[in-house]
Amino acid sequence: MQNSRSIFGFLLKSKGRHGIHSPFVFDFVDNCLTTKVDKNFLTSRKIWQQITKKNRETFKITDLGVGSKQMGSTRSVAELAKKASSNGLYGELLWKIAHYYKPAFMLELGTSIGTGSIHLKAGNPDSHLITVEGCDAILSKALQQFDYWKLSGITTICSSFDDFLQLPPIGKYDLAFIDGNHSGEATLNYVNKLFEQSHNQTIFILDDIRWNDDMWEMWQQLVSDERFHVSIDLGRMGLLWRREEQTKEHFVLRPKIFKNRLF
């Protein structure tokens, strides 16, 4: 395992906007990442987070992945809200990407409480989002959150990721956010299947690339994969683009907006 999986290794290798020669990546750092998140959204999010983190309602779950076994078979809304990967700055990253690039057709693998969906849809309200969750009890709680936010243009599907990806594709995704399972082999399989349902500008967002050695090795494979010409390591999340017209490059970035809050 390379030491850059660790926080120290990441800080050692990461850079800011200087030294980036790719116009596309420079634009991502200088414009996408500096986009101001809507103040009304941030205010509403703060109130919503306070409500959900106090919700102690419990329910039994079916966990089809490996990422949250320590939470047990009974969860509360508060636990799911607290554990959501898309809280805080990484949720804002999703908002910024959706707002700046305006992906019209998005896919999320791993709905959970709905935090990622909320940020993606709020970033681009005109988009259509398909979000897939393997546990119907969790999905029912996410639907309650979507109702709270009065969101439209979201299709929710209760299915394992593997079963969903076996279905005939209904189009090419502009953005695919993979936030579940936390098995490197499984995640690599999802990316391979979604590659066939992507186009040259599709944004692949992978969460928790440093979760364990398995996930990190998966990320290293994708960084080396000749199909993806742009890969960006942002600490907790990794981004991939095909961009076949561009020379293959990998970037390890620590934008100023992230400061020391990386994982």
Side-chain angles (χ1 to χ4, degrees):
M1 180 188 67
Q2 298 179 23
N3 66 356
S4 52
R5 182 195 156 200
S6 68
I7 295 176
F8 176 75
F10 175 81
L11 295 175
L12 204 61
K13 297 188 71 174
S14 61
K15 63 176 72 173
R17 64 196 290 271
H18 300 291
I20 296 175
H21 303 294
S22 163
F24 175 78
V25 177
F26 190 88
D27 177 72
F28 171 75
V29 173
D30 235 31
N31 294 313
C32 176
L33 291 182
T34 59
T35 299
K36 299 292 185 182
V37 179
D38 181 76
K39 290 183 178 180
N40 292 329
F41 170 73
L42 291 176
T43 299
S44 298
R45 184 183 71 167
K46 184 176 181 180
I47 296 170
W48 172 72
Q49 288 175 334
Q50 291 171 344
I51 294 171
T52 54
K53 289 179 180 179
K54 292 178 181 178
N55 189 335
R56 303 298 175 183
E57 178 188 359
T58 60
F59 51 94
K60 291 186 177 181
I61 62 98
T62 301
D63 192 351
L64 300 178
V66 301
S68 51
K69 296 296 187 184
Q70 72 273 21
M71 292 177 68
S73 61
T74 301
R75 311 276 173 90
S76 68
V77 173
E79 283 179 303
L80 289 175
K82 184 179 179 180
K83 293 288 185 179
S85 297
S86 304
N87 277 327
L89 291 172
Y90 281 98
E92 292 171 26
L93 172 64
L94 296 179
W95 190 98
K96 291 169 184 278
I97 290 173
H99 184 78
Y100 188 72
Y101 292 107
K102 298 288 189 296
F105 189 29
M106 301 188 290
L107 172 69
E108 177 186 39
L109 296 182
T111 314
S112 188
I113 199 65
T115 309
S117 305
I118 291 166
H119 283 84
L120 288 169
K121 277 296 297 181
N124 185 19
D126 295 330
S127 65
H128 186 86
L129 170 69
I130 295 177
T131 183
V132 183
E133 171 59 50
C135 175
D136 56 356
I138 292 179
L139 192 57
S140 69
K141 303 307 174 186
L143 286 168
Q144 292 174 8
Q145 312 315 312
F146 299 157
D147 288 342
Y148 173 89
W149 281 90
K150 296 181 173 58
L151 295 176
S152 60
I154 298 180
T155 298
T156 58
I157 296 177
C158 186
S159 169
S160 71
F161 300 164
D162 286 316
D163 288 346
F164 170 76
L165 292 172
Q166 293 296 328
L167 297 174
I170 58 176
K172 303 277 189 182
Y173 296 109
D174 301 305
L175 181 151
F177 177 38
I178 303 176
D179 179 20
N181 198 319
H182 296 87
S183 158
E185 181 181 0
T187 302
L188 188 60
N189 187 44
Y190 305 150
V191 172
N192 287 334
K193 289 182 178 179
L194 285 171
F195 188 85
E196 301 170 4
Q197 301 176 42
S198 69
H199 54 75
N200 194 44
Q201 302 301 324
T202 298
I203 308 163
F204 289 81
I205 306 175
L206 280 63
D207 190 40
D208 285 323
I209 59 174
R210 287 176 166 79
W211 181 273
N212 53 27
D213 290 355
D214 191 36
M215 287 291 287
W216 182 244
E217 289 168 7
M218 170 278 302
W219 172 245
Q220 294 300 306
Q221 277 189 255
L222 290 173
V223 167
S224 300
D225 194 321
E226 293 298 326
R227 297 175 300 174
F228 295 104
H229 287 227
V230 177
S231 53
I232 300 178
D233 179 346
L234 285 171
R236 180 170 188 154
M237 289 182 176
L239 309 182
L240 298 166
W241 282 267
R242 292 169 60 173
R243 291 189 57 81
E244 295 162 3
E245 70 278 14
Q246 186 166 338
T247 301
K248 183 173 176 60
E249 289 185 273
H250 175 59
F251 302 86
V252 182
L253 304 177
R254 182 166 62 98
K256 290 181 180 179
I257 59 167
F258 279 23
K259 298 182 180 178
N260 293 320
R261 296 166 59 187
L262 299 168
F263 299 94

